[in-house]
Structures are given as structure tokens and as C-alpha cells.
Amino acid sequence: MTWIELAPTVSAAFLASLVECVEAATIVLAVGTVRGWKSAFVGTGLALAALVVLVLALGPALSRLPEQALQLFVGVLLLLFGMRWLRKAILRGAGIIPLHDEEAIFKSETANLKLARTTERWGVDPIAMATAFKGVLLEGVEVAFLVLAVAAGSPALIGPAALGALAAALLVTVAAVAIHKPLARVPENTLKFAVGVLISAFGIFWTGEGMGIEWPGHDLALIGIAVVLLGAALLAVRLAAAPAQPMEAR
Amino acid sequence: MGTLRAILHEIVGLFVDDGSLALALVVWCALVGLVMLAVPGVTMAAAGAALLAGCIAILLVNVVTAARKRRGAKAAT
């Protein structure tokens, strides 16, 4: 397998996982800071274990589906997922909706956790553990879906996609441990914009393959689709940012 | 139970945020697929181009409409 075939899959898995891991890290940091690190780590560990079970159960089940049906199913899901991210990133880029603020989320999480009553059992705070568990599991489900989905066309791609996600998780963990604060400086909207373009491109590519479309240039068409989508998304930011002209001014 | 419901809600939310965008994309994909089945002369390149162009058009219309609505709502308050 060449780097041209691997690059879109690995980079999509890495970038998408980076965004999700930053969001999960904010919640774990809030839990650890306010209610203690033991509960935060137990909740995180349980969520990771649940994710492993989920992937082990779903991965083989997906591979039993006929290839074309799997491509169509995963393609449409990726298209919906990617376009949802891209829409939000475009509206944020155009200043229509506020940017995602990890500092604000951290403050809101810590405020909620401070209000909750402490009831320790076996040295673990159940509220803190459940908060960390839910946060990591929800973001982790997105990562697991993306890893399985971007590799849907070829089981050989699952390994490289998982490595991309693992690299993102390690990077965020190291950064979070080093600075002990929410990773507010990550250019999240730029990342979401790039990931939205990549995931939507994968969605269109796999949906087409599932329908029986033979893309010109085969896998290379994925790069072409991503470039066209990027241009359209940048145009969309300009269109969304421009105020509507009154009729007489046109 | 609450956590389970939140997880299910979040999973649906992964794919559907703005219902009209999701619905339009699914309908467009289905239309392209149906045309490919019904019209034997459709070339692969044309079907691929239609799929891509339609998805882009749906996205553009959706974000411009959403931006206008939000701006209108802000102006009204």
C-alpha cells in the first residue's frame, strides 16, 4: 500500500481523533481537578474498556456485510457526519455561531462538579467517575466510528487508521499532562473544517462506490473530491459571512 | 438509564444536527442511485459528478439559509 493510499485515511483518523480527544481531555481534567484524579482515571479506564468491547463486537460484524452494502452504509453515515461538522465549521468561520471554547466548557464542567454532593464508595466518587466515563465514552464512540468508517473500503486500512487515532490520543494525553489545563489553544475550528472536508470527501467517495460508481483515477479521486469540497467550503464561509443585500441595492 | 439515553442521543446527534441537511443529503444520494438504476445510459463520471455537485449545492444552500435566519433573529432581538 502506497503513502498516497494511506495518507487520506491516516490523516482523517488523526485529525478527527485529535478534536475528539481534546474534548474528552477537557472533561477528564475538570473531573480530576475538582473531584480527584482517582475517580477521573477509573471513569476513563472503564470508558476505554467499554470502547474496546464495542470495537471488538462491531468490527467483525461490519466485515461480514457485503462489501458494496458496507460502502454504501458507511458512506452515507460518513457523509452525514462530515457535512454536519463542515456546516458548523463554516458557520463558525463566518462568525454566525460562536467558536467552541474549551476554557468555557472547563469552567462550566468544574462549576457543575463543585455543586454535586460528594459520596465516596471504595475511595471512588461515583459522580466524578460517571462524568469522566460518559465524556470519554461519547467522544471515544466518535473516534471508533471514524476509524472503522474511514477504513470501510479495505480491512487493511483499519490498522493505519487506528494508529492515526492512537497518535492523536497520545499527543493530547501528553499535552494535557504537561500543561494541566484545558487545551484551549488548539485551533479547533480550523481542525474541524479540515476534518469536515476530509470526512465528507470519504462519505461521497464510499457512497459512490457503494452505488457502483467507478471514480476516475480510483482512490486518487478521493483527493480530487476533497479539493473541490475545500473550495466549496471556503466559498460557503464567504457567502455565509456576507450580509444579504436589500433588493434596491442589487 | 439517563447515561444510556444520553449516549444514544449523542450517537444520533453524530449524524443529524440540522434535520433538513441530513434529509436533503440522504434524498439526493437516493435520487442519484435511482437514476443510475433507471437510466442505463448514465456514465459513471456523470453520476459521480452529480453526487458531488448535489452534496455541495445542498451544503451551500443550507449554510446561507442558516446564516440569514440567524442574522434575522439577531436583528429582531
Side-chain angles (χ1 to χ4, degrees), chain B residues 42-66:
Chain B
V42 174
T43 62
M44 291 295 163
L51 182 64
L52 175 61
C55 291
I56 287 174
I58 289 166
L59 177 70
L60 287 177
V61 170
N62 185 281
V63 289
V64 171
T65 310

Side-chain angles (χ1 to χ4, degrees), chain A residues 5-245:
Chain A
E5 289 168 300
L6 285 176
T9 306
V10 176
S11 52
F14 175 79
L15 293 174
S17 304
L18 201 59
V19 175
E20 303 301 346
C21 291
V22 166
E23 291 179 8
T26 301
I27 295 168
V28 175
L29 278 168
V31 172
T33 308
V34 177
R35 314 278 296 210
W37 291 101
K38 186 178 176 186
S39 305
F41 289 143
V42 170
T44 304
L46 287 175
L48 292 176
L51 278 171
V52 170
V53 171
L54 191 77
V55 171
L56 289 178
L58 275 182
L62 280 177
S63 64
R64 282 197 203 103
L65 286 172
E67 192 184 353
Q68 211 167 352
L70 178 66
Q71 287 172 341
L72 185 59
F73 174 68
V74 164
V76 172
L77 287 184
L78 276 177
L79 181 61
L80 297 181
F81 186 94
M83 285 287 188
R84 176 182 154 262
W85 270 30
L86 196 50
R87 174 185 185 272
K88 226 176 224 179
I90 289 168
L91 291 174
R92 282 183 179 144
I96 304 296
I97 57 174
L99 292 172
H100 193 89
D101 186 349
E102 289 300 329
E103 288 273 3
I105 292 167
F106 181 77
K107 278 182 188 159
S108 148
E109 282 288 342
T110 50
N112 287 337
L113 286 163
K114 276 176 188 163
L115 286 175
R117 204 157 44 93
T118 307
T119 49
E120 280 203 5
R121 274 185 214 167
W122 305 296
V124 175
D125 176 352
I127 293 171
M129 189 186 73
T131 307
F133 176 80
K134 198 174 124 187
V136 174
L137 186 64
L138 290 178
E139 305 304 339
V141 164
E142 293 193 44
V143 172
F145 162 72
L146 285 164
V147 167
L148 291 175
V150 293
S154 157
L157 287 172
I158 290 183
L163 279 179
L166 191 65
L170 283 176
L171 183 65
V172 170
T173 306
V174 168
V177 167
I179 68 168
H180 245 68
K181 277 182 182 172
L183 306 176
R185 288 203 175 174
V186 174
E188 195 167 333
N189 204 48
T190 309
L191 273 177
K192 276 199 166 168
F193 197 93
V195 175
V197 165
L198 274 173
I199 300 294
S200 301
F202 269 101
I204 292 170
F205 182 81
W206 290 131
T207 303
E209 292 262 315
M211 286 175 180
I213 292 174
E214 285 165 23
W215 294 100
H218 301 283
D219 288 353
L220 282 178
L222 191 55
I223 296 169
I225 295 170
V227 169
V228 173
L229 267 176
L230 177 64
L234 292 171
L235 172 69
V237 173
R238 294 189 72 170
L239 290 175
Q245 297 290 314

